[in-house]
Amino acid sequence: MLSRPDVAVVGAGPVGLAIAWRCASRGLRVVVHDPAPGSSASHVAAGMLAPVAEAYFGEHELTGLLTASAARWPAFAAELTAAAGVDVGYRTEGTLMVGLTADDLAEARRLWAYQQGLGLPVTPLRPSALRDREPALAPRVRGGALAATDHQVNPRRLVPALRTAAERAGATLVPAAVRRLSDVDARVTVVAAGCGAAALTGLPVRPVKGQVLRLRAPGGGAPGFRHVIRGYADGEHVYLVPRDSGEVVVGATVEERADTDVSAGAVLRLLRAAVDLLPELAEYDLVETLAGLRPGTPDNAPILGPLPGRPGVLAATGHHRHGIVLTPLTADLIADLVVTGKADPMLAPFTPDRFAPAATADPAGTDADGRSGAFAPEEEHTWN
Amino acid sequence: MLSRPDVAVVGAGPVGLAIAWRCASRGLRVVVHDPAPGSSASHVAAGMLAPVAEAYFGEHELTGLLTASAARWPAFAAELTAAAGVDVGYRTEGTLMVGLTADDLAEARRLWAYQQGLGLPVTPLRPSALRDREPALAPRVRGGALAATDHQVNPRRLVPALRTAAERAGATLVPAAVRRLSDVDARVTVVAAGCGAAALTGLPVRPVKGQVLRLRAPGGGAPGFRHVIRGYADGEHVYLVPRDSGEVVVGATVEERADTDVSAGAVLRLLRAAVDLLPELAEYDLVETLAGLRPGTPDNAPILGPLPGRPGVLAATGHHRHGIVLTPLTADLIADLVVTGKADPMLAPFTPDRFAPAATADPAGTDADGRSGAFAPEEEHTWN
């Protein structure tokens, strides 16, 4: 580098690359550090943009963020496609939420009622209307509802598109790992390193394992269904995401583990639930079994904003199951923060300082410099 | 080659390599043609040596051949290990045959009674004795029997061992495909090309697809069971073959198809049956899903001996599900035939001429030269 960059982004997943693109587009000199762009959680992710179907009890603020980011997706996808010349597989058929048995349907209906109570667009469907929309659903499926605004994108197209857009806007990719933040020289450093953020910052980001399958429709055609299908099948939660290419993503386990082994039991449960909901999937090829690690946080919400006691360091991590849907809004909010120095009020519930000792009632976690022990990096004990 | 070889073997699977080894050991000059040794059916095979468990109704002559070949396995494995310096994973714990439900057990008992009627060593076990032998079996398993003489070997070790032994005995491997038998110049040509024999010879060898999984015990240890386990689980037939390395082979479908795609439905059925019989397998890693093509024949028995109307050409193909167990005997009988010119009486039920027109009552199948149309090669219409 001839001179010190304005922004160094650590991590070239969708979030890091989108931040780099947005910052570079606004005239900043941007460097992105990653030895293997797009090789972590996004490589495994299904790409559901599902603020409605993913609106869970007790996550009201997160739901607001997901909804706001999903609303930016149509323009974001169009702008990205124009900038990169790559179709990112943005599809708007919507999501069907279904229950296989009466018990499954009862559980689903509890959640739909909650989602409707938030004013989210959930439309219960009569069984005949459900089958009109997706004739391939198993006759056993007892009922369902439509989340018409829950769309999808293909993460494996998204990453190369974002990389191209960022590079065309002037960002530079450095294909090397950052071991310590003190090794990064920039006016602002953005830690968008997913699970790697824990070691770099001490933030409470932990790996949450997810196992996912990829099937392929036989004969080279498109899958025999168009909607994203999410459902409960004998108590097992599963989603099915169809792509134009013939691919169907089947996911996903949620496990408090840090390995990326694929287990026979997980594959069995996913396949059983998938075939129970959509019998024709039994005839599909099984082309990939894979496990990835989501960057989870104590409250399942992302960590966005200035790192306490670390001037010039911003976090954009902890996106857990929501990294793809949150990419546009995260990028916009972080780029604004970099450019203006002021945090958008939308960031308030998600800033790193919510995990500071005052919030966790652990005064022993504060060291002699007044920095939070919760933020003490695992591999870095000096700070410039 | 400086001079014409005595024997050209087409196909470097276990059968072809063992024939090459036996012939080379007897002083013959041997060439083996194969672009990718051991890459076909044997790469997928589990390696069960199971003449007892595989003794099915109506296959009396085949059962005799399987039993005779299995009896040669201990000495064959020892001799091969000495010749090649490779442990081929020959294990003698025996095979447990089990039934999950009452219906499964009833079906299994019918077969055991047939096997016992042939004088084969099948020992029914009380449930307590079954669990003493394999405590990891599911409590639901209703009953079982021991086939103590049904052993196993590791085909992925067998092929390199046979190749080394054959080469040390003087055989030469030519890593190229044989498209037409007329391209091969040798005193005797042995067609041991598995499914490829059909195109080379016109013999009625057809691909029979088998899908197989490989699991691995977690933590790097050996599997939690020692016997080969074969069973019926809710009507699904499955086998589980444990290796010292921690690998467990789970198989196999039997499908009249010629593709090698892995289907979601097959993986689901195999995993469900496997986990139903041995619940701990759910915790194992799923490390490989694979499909292979067995060389099937109209009567499920191999095709061994002189090809009618083709002087100097011998067939050693069509081993279907029994290629590994039949390797020692096939090699010995074919090598004897090459050396002495006389066919052992054991070969009589398995010679190619059983598929000649006289047997199939299709006189139109005989061409002007008196050669059988059934043997007319698909890609070769001239013969020297």
Side-chain angles (χ1 to χ4, degrees):
Chain A
M1 300 297 297
L2 290 177
S3 58
R4 194 179 188 220
D6 299 309
V7 182
V9 180
V10 182
V15 168
L17 288 170
I19 291 169
W21 177 37
R22 289 311 202 195
C23 287
S25 298
R26 292 166 79 160
L28 300 175
R29 276 171 306 123
V30 179
V31 172
V32 186
H33 300 266
D34 197 319
S39 64
S40 296
S42 69
H43 184 67
V44 182
M48 289 177 291
L49 310 173
V52 176
E54 302 249 343
Y56 293 123
F57 304 102
E59 297 182 351
H60 182 259
E61 285 174 329
L62 174 60
T63 296
L65 197 73
L66 298 175
T67 304
S69 194
R72 297 192 185 198
W73 252 104
F76 183 81
E79 194 181 345
L80 179 58
T81 298
V86 174
D87 173 10
V88 296
Y90 181 65
R91 283 178 54 170
T92 60
E93 289 89 344
T95 296
L96 289 176
M97 303 180 288
V98 303
L100 182 67
T101 67
D103 284 355
D104 292 325
L105 190 57
E107 169 140 4
R109 281 181 171 150
R110 264 186 77 231
L111 187 58
W112 301 341
Y114 168 75
Q115 292 161 345
Q116 290 177 308
L118 295 177
L120 296 172
V122 173
T123 309
L125 299 174
R126 283 169 299 139
S128 62
L130 186 63
R131 281 180 184 79
D132 285 348
R133 285 194 163 264
E134 286 299 359
L137 281 168
R140 286 178 61 203
V141 172
R142 286 292 290 266
L146 175 67
T149 55
D150 276 4
H151 299 159
Q152 64 143 305
V153 69
N154 186 339
R156 292 185 179 178
R157 292 188 180 183
L158 176 62
V159 166
L162 283 169
R163 180 176 173 173
T164 298
E167 290 182 331
R168 286 184 179 174
T172 303
L173 190 78
V174 178
V178 171
R179 302 282 171 208
R180 305 150 50 103
L181 289 184
S182 57
D183 294 340
V184 176
D185 183 29
R187 183 169 66 79
V188 177
T189 299
V190 181
V191 181
C195 291
L200 290 168
T201 65
L203 284 167
V205 179
R206 72 183 192 287
V208 180
K209 177 177 173 178
Q211 300 191 50
V212 165
L213 315 176
R214 278 176 166 79
L215 313 185
R216 190 169 298 282
F225 62 108
R226 298 283 300 164
H227 297 77
V228 171
I229 295 174
R230 303 168 60 105
Y232 297 92
D234 284 317
E236 193 75 34
H237 187 257
V238 70
Y239 59 71
L240 313 169
V241 182
R243 311 258 196 243
D244 290 333
S245 65
E247 179 179 274
V248 174
V249 185
V250 179
T253 64
V254 178
E255 304 167 70
E256 294 290 341
R257 298 175 60 122
D259 66 87
T260 54
D261 297 328
V262 172
S263 73
V267 174
L268 171 58
R269 289 193 305 276
L270 290 171
L271 282 179
R272 181 156 47 197
V275 170
D276 280 349
L277 293 179
L278 214 77
E280 73 172 48
L281 292 181
E283 307 304 321
Y284 285 40
D285 297 340
L286 175 65
V287 294
E288 191 177 302
T289 61
L290 201 59
L293 301 175
R294 310 173 186 92
T297 65
D299 58 6
N300 292 336
I303 306 176
L304 308 172
L307 210 58
R310 300 280 193 100
V313 177
L314 305 178
T317 185
H319 289 73
H320 195 215
R321 310 178 63 228
H322 310 297
I324 306 298
V325 65
L326 288 176
T327 290
L329 185 60
T330 300
D332 290 344
L333 295 177
I334 296 293
D336 283 350
L337 183 55
V338 169
V339 170
T340 68
K342 287 190 210 157
D344 187 291
M346 289 182 75
L347 287 174
F350 306 105
T351 52
D353 54 14
R354 73 185 189 276
F355 299 118
T360 60
D362 175 17
T366 305
D367 69 14
D369 297 319
R371 286 198 283 122
S372 159
F375 297 140
E378 294 174 22
E379 297 182 13
E380 180 184 5
H381 298 285
T382 62
W383 178 249
N384 301 324
Chain B
M1 301 300 296
L2 291 177
S3 58
R4 193 178 190 222
D6 298 309
V7 182
V9 180
V10 182
V15 168
L17 288 170
I19 291 169
W21 176 36
R22 290 312 201 194
C23 286
S25 298
R26 292 165 82 159
L28 300 175
R29 276 170 307 124
V30 179
V31 172
V32 185
H33 300 265
D34 198 320
S39 64
S40 296
S42 69
H43 185 67
V44 181
M48 289 177 292
L49 311 173
V52 176
E54 302 248 343
Y56 293 123
F57 304 103
E59 297 181 352
H60 182 261
E61 283 174 332
L62 174 60
T63 296
L65 197 73
L66 297 175
T67 303
S69 195
R72 297 192 184 197
W73 252 103
F76 183 81
E79 193 180 347
L80 180 57
T81 298
V86 173
D87 173 11
V88 296
Y90 181 65
R91 283 178 55 170
T92 59
E93 288 89 345
T95 296
L96 288 176
M97 303 180 289
V98 303
L100 182 66
T101 67
D103 284 355
D104 292 326
L105 190 58
E107 169 140 6
R109 282 180 170 151
R110 263 187 76 231
L111 187 58
W112 301 340
Y114 168 75
Q115 292 161 344
Q116 290 177 308
L118 295 178
L120 297 172
V122 173
T123 309
L125 298 175
R126 283 169 302 139
S128 62
L130 188 61
R131 280 179 186 80
D132 285 348
R133 284 194 164 264
E134 285 299 358
L137 280 169
R140 287 177 62 203
V141 172
R142 287 290 291 266
L146 174 67
T149 55
D150 276 4
H151 299 157
Q152 62 144 305
V153 69
N154 186 339
R156 292 184 179 178
R157 293 189 180 182
L158 176 62
V159 166
L162 282 169
R163 181 175 172 175
T164 299
E167 290 182 331
R168 286 184 179 175
T172 303
L173 190 78
V174 177
V178 170
R179 302 283 169 207
R180 304 149 51 101
L181 289 184
S182 56
D183 295 340
V184 177
D185 183 31
R187 184 170 65 81
V188 176
T189 299
V190 180
V191 181
C195 291
L200 290 168
T201 64
L203 284 167
V205 179
R206 71 183 194 286
V208 179
K209 179 176 172 178
Q211 300 191 51
V212 166
L213 315 176
R214 278 176 167 77
L215 313 185
R216 190 168 299 282
F225 61 107
R226 298 284 299 165
H227 297 78
V228 171
I229 295 173
R230 304 169 60 107
Y232 296 93
D234 283 318
E236 193 76 34
H237 188 256
V238 70
Y239 58 72
L240 312 169
V241 181
R243 312 259 196 240
D244 290 333
S245 65
E247 178 179 275
V248 175
V249 184
V250 179
T253 65
V254 178
E255 304 167 69
E256 293 290 341
R257 298 175 60 121
D259 67 88
T260 54
D261 298 328
V262 173
S263 73
V267 174
L268 171 58
R269 288 194 305 276
L270 290 171
L271 282 178
R272 182 156 45 198
V275 170
D276 280 349
L277 292 180
L278 214 77
E280 73 173 49
L281 292 180
E283 307 303 322
Y284 284 40
D285 298 339
L286 175 64
V287 295
E288 190 177 302
T289 60
L290 199 60
L293 300 175
R294 310 175 186 90
T297 64
D299 56 7
N300 292 335
I303 305 176
L304 308 173
L307 210 57
R310 299 281 194 98
V313 177
L314 305 178
T317 185
H319 290 71
H320 195 218
R321 309 178 64 228
H322 310 295
I324 306 299
V325 64
L326 287 177
T327 290
L329 185 59
T330 299
D332 289 345
L333 295 177
I334 297 292
D336 282 349
L337 182 55
V338 168
V339 170
T340 67
K342 287 191 209 158
D344 187 290
M346 288 183 75
L347 287 175
F350 306 105
T351 52
D353 53 15
R354 74 186 190 275
F355 300 118
T360 59
D362 175 17
T366 305
D367 69 14
D369 298 318
R371 284 198 285 123
S372 158
F375 296 140
E378 294 173 24
E379 296 181 14
E380 180 184 6
H381 299 284
T382 61
W383 178 251
N384 303 323

